[in-house]
């Protein structure tokens, strides 16, 4: 978490498609109009919407994962669906931990986790796993065990 907090200050938010958008579509992924992307130290928000802090935490995780070579990370992410799920599970777990730190309502936290699992198991990530598997993968990866 220490590294993620430091990176947040350096990240830029751009209201445009990322430089690898065409490759994402060519890889058969089906990003929604509201999809958000991280490439290097930038978060790309083509819809122009304002990002809540939990989503910024998710995207900061991808920045850390990409390290100094976002092209290599994206290449593997697009070619290897299991790597993609592993990377997204980690990012969703960080996001879920943030939600648990800032939200006391257990029902809301569970609904949010279920929405994350639905996204992770959906077409945006290639329909690689089922929703229940995604739910437990995120929950088990999270530091919060509530």
């Amino acid at each position: 978490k220490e590294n993620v907090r430091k990176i947040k200050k350096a990240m830029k938010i751009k209201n445009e498609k990322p430089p690898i958008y065409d490759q994402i579509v060519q890889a058969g992924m089906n990003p929604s109009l509201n999809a958000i992307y991280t490439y290097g130290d930038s978060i790309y928000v083509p819809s122009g919407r304002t990002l809540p802090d939990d989503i910024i935490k998710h995207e900061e995780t991808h920045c850390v994962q990409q390290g100094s070579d976002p092209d290599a990370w994206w290449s593997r992410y697009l070619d290897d669906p299991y790597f993609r799920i592993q990377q997204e599970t980690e990012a969703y777990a960080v996001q879920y931990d943030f939600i648990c730190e800032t939200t006391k309502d257990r029902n809301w936290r569970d609904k949010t986790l279920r929405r994350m699992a639905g996204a992770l198991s959906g077409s945006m990530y290639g329909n690689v796993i089922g929703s229940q598997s995604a739910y437990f993968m995120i929950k088990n990866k999270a530091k919060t065990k509530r």
Side-chain angles (χ1 to χ4, degrees):
K1 286 190 175 185
E2 194 76 32
N3 289 341
V4 172
R5 286 194 180 109
K6 288 179 184 176
I7 289 173
K8 181 177 181 181
K9 295 175 188 169
M11 292 195 80
K12 301 177 233 21
I13 296 179
K14 299 181 178 183
N15 294 327
E16 59 192 62
K17 291 179 181 174
I20 41 76
Y21 184 81
D22 290 340
Q23 291 98 311
I24 292 169
V25 173
Q26 289 171 358
M29 293 183 66
N30 185 21
S32 74
L33 297 174
N34 286 317
I36 301 157
Y37 313 86
T38 296
Y39 184 88
D41 66 353
S42 296
I43 299 172
Y44 290 84
V45 188
S47 69
R49 69 182 173 123
T50 302
L51 299 180
D53 289 342
D54 66 298
I55 291 178
I56 291 173
K57 291 291 184 194
H58 178 111
E59 298 304 324
E60 287 172 349
T61 303
H62 291 318
C63 180
V64 172
Q65 292 167 338
Q66 290 176 16
S68 62
D69 195 352
D71 286 323
W73 184 89
W74 271 104
S75 178
R76 185 169 178 200
Y77 183 94
L78 295 174
D79 291 341
D80 183 347
Y82 298 100
F83 175 76
R84 182 182 324 133
I85 294 304
Q86 182 269 331
Q87 297 292 283
E88 291 299 339
T89 298
E90 182 178 1
Y92 277 119
V94 169
Q95 183 179 356
Y96 178 66
D97 281 332
F98 179 83
I99 287 168
C100 289
E101 291 170 8
T102 58
T103 305
K104 299 298 178 209
D105 184 338
R106 294 173 75 148
N107 290 329
W108 176 254
R109 292 191 312 234
D110 188 63
K111 284 181 186 178
T112 301
L113 179 55
R114 289 184 189 284
R115 278 195 299 273
M116 290 176 185
L120 183 59
S121 63
S123 64
M124 186 162 74
Y125 300 117
N127 297 307
V128 176
I129 61 172
S131 182
Q132 187 173 11
S133 295
Y135 177 91
F136 286 110
M137 286 174 65
I138 296 166
K139 190 168 184 159
N140 291 336
K141 185 77 173 173
K143 291 183 172 99
T144 304
K145 301 298 179 202
R146 299 179 194 171

